[in-house]
Amino acid sequence: MRRNIVAANWKMNGSRELVESLVGGVKAGVAKLDKDVEVVIIPPSLYLADVEKAVSGSALQLGVQNVARWESGAYTGEVSAQMASDVGCAYALVGHSERRQLFAEDDVQVAEKVRLILASGLVAIICVGETLEEREAGQAEQVVARQIRAALADVSGEGWKKIVIAYEPVWAIGTGKTATAVDAQNMHANMRGLLSELGAPAQEISLLYGGSVKPDNAAELFAQADIDGGLIGGASLVSDDFVRICGAV
Ligand code: PEP
């Protein structure tokens, strides 16, 4: 059985005050849910220690938003996968569209990061998704398949247990537009088919949907056969909304 996962990507938002109020609310709310769901909080790296303290005693997991392409050394400003693991992270996001678009992260870099994330014992949440132009040109499946093939090029054996893929159509991130549940399911089913082709244990790999997931659309998305949870941006900054999304799994 694959895990249901709901992950909160805070992006570059937050403060110590927010950590306290938001994580406190999420911790209390998730504890009351009668759901089999792994909840992951992914704050800016500077607040990882604060969030780790705030989640202690709960089942909430910690994740990092990005890691360096290198193990260690003279890379000012970077944070390694090993460091993320050292401070208590269990998950690492990689290939988020904001990293791909604003920081020119390409498929090769994503694959390098996936390798380092797995080597550090973390679970990689690999983000993939097409732009609006690519969708309108009928290339959505092709783009997502290319991104997945590249990211997983070096994954095999036990490594598959540390892979989660989040389908996030770029046009749906932070825009209030969501893929229809049917379109999202079709893409997830294609992705699972591709994973099988690549020799992965496809039925055991959690596939998440991301892109303007809110309390009122989460249940329909999560009810789809191949959608195993969500990667949540904006709505993860409001504890009641995020808890309702976790409860929709
Ligand atoms: C994200 O940042 O991964 C995301 C899905 O953002 P939002 O939920 O705000 O669209």
Side-chain angles (χ1 to χ4, degrees):
M1 264 300 280
R2 46 188 191 254
R3 271 171 303 179
N4 291 317
I5 300 171
V6 178
N9 175 17
W10 290 8
K11 313 192 189 206
M12 200 176 74
N13 295 297
S15 61
R16 282 192 151 157
E17 206 180 327
L18 187 86
V19 169
E20 218 168 284
S21 59
L22 185 52
V23 178
V26 170
K27 195 169 155 178
V30 168
K32 286 189 211 136
L33 294 176
D34 187 19
K35 294 277 177 173
D36 184 13
V37 57
E38 172 121 315
V39 178
V40 188
I41 309 290
I42 312 180
S45 299
L46 274 180
Y47 296 113
L48 283 168
D50 295 291
V51 174
E52 200 209 10
K53 228 182 274 169
V55 301
S56 81
S58 77
L60 300 183
Q61 299 288 322
L62 197 60
V64 67
Q65 293 180 11
N66 177 44
V67 298
R69 289 158 53 202
W70 306 278
E71 267 175 48
S72 65
Y75 302 105
T76 302
E78 292 287 282
V79 167
S80 75
Q82 190 53 51
M83 289 170 185
S85 167
D86 191 34
V87 301
C89 289
Y91 289 83
L93 281 187
V94 57
H96 191 281
S97 67
E98 286 150 20
R99 302 288 321 168
R100 293 182 193 257
Q101 292 196 321
L102 303 173
F103 301 92
E105 199 164 285
D106 61 20
D107 286 344
V108 173
Q109 293 176 27
V110 171
E112 287 168 346
K113 291 182 179 194
V114 168
R115 189 178 58 72
L116 290 165
I117 289 166
L118 300 196
S120 303
L122 302 172
V123 174
I125 303 180
I126 301 167
C127 303
V128 298
E130 80 286 355
T131 62
L132 187 58
E133 296 70 49
E134 289 164 341
R135 171 153 286 258
E136 285 173 347
Q139 295 167 348
E141 277 82 13
Q142 214 177 308
V143 168
V144 167
R146 188 205 74 226
Q147 291 171 334
I148 291 178
R149 282 180 190 278
L152 299 179
D154 295 329
V155 180
S156 62
E158 290 294 294
W160 292 119
K161 294 189 180 147
K162 299 283 189 180
I163 296 295
V164 171
I165 300 179
Y167 168 58
E168 300 202 300
V170 178
W171 47 270
I173 297 180
T175 59
K177 292 181 193 154
T178 321
T180 65
V182 172
D183 281 351
Q185 163 57 23
N186 287 342
M187 183 63 87
H188 280 70
N190 283 347
M191 288 159 57
R192 211 177 289 290
L194 175 59
L195 287 170
S196 286
E197 249 179 64
L198 296 175
Q203 294 304 325
E204 286 157 38
I205 294 181
S206 300
L207 302 181
L208 314 184
Y209 172 79
S212 297
V213 177
K214 307 284 177 217
D216 58 359
N217 60 20
E220 192 188 3
L221 287 159
F222 297 166
Q224 305 303 310
D226 288 292
I227 301 181
D228 307 309
L231 179 55
I232 318 300
S236 73
L237 295 168
V238 179
S239 78
D240 285 356
D241 285 358
F242 184 63
V243 170
R244 283 173 64 200
I245 291 170
C246 294
V249 157

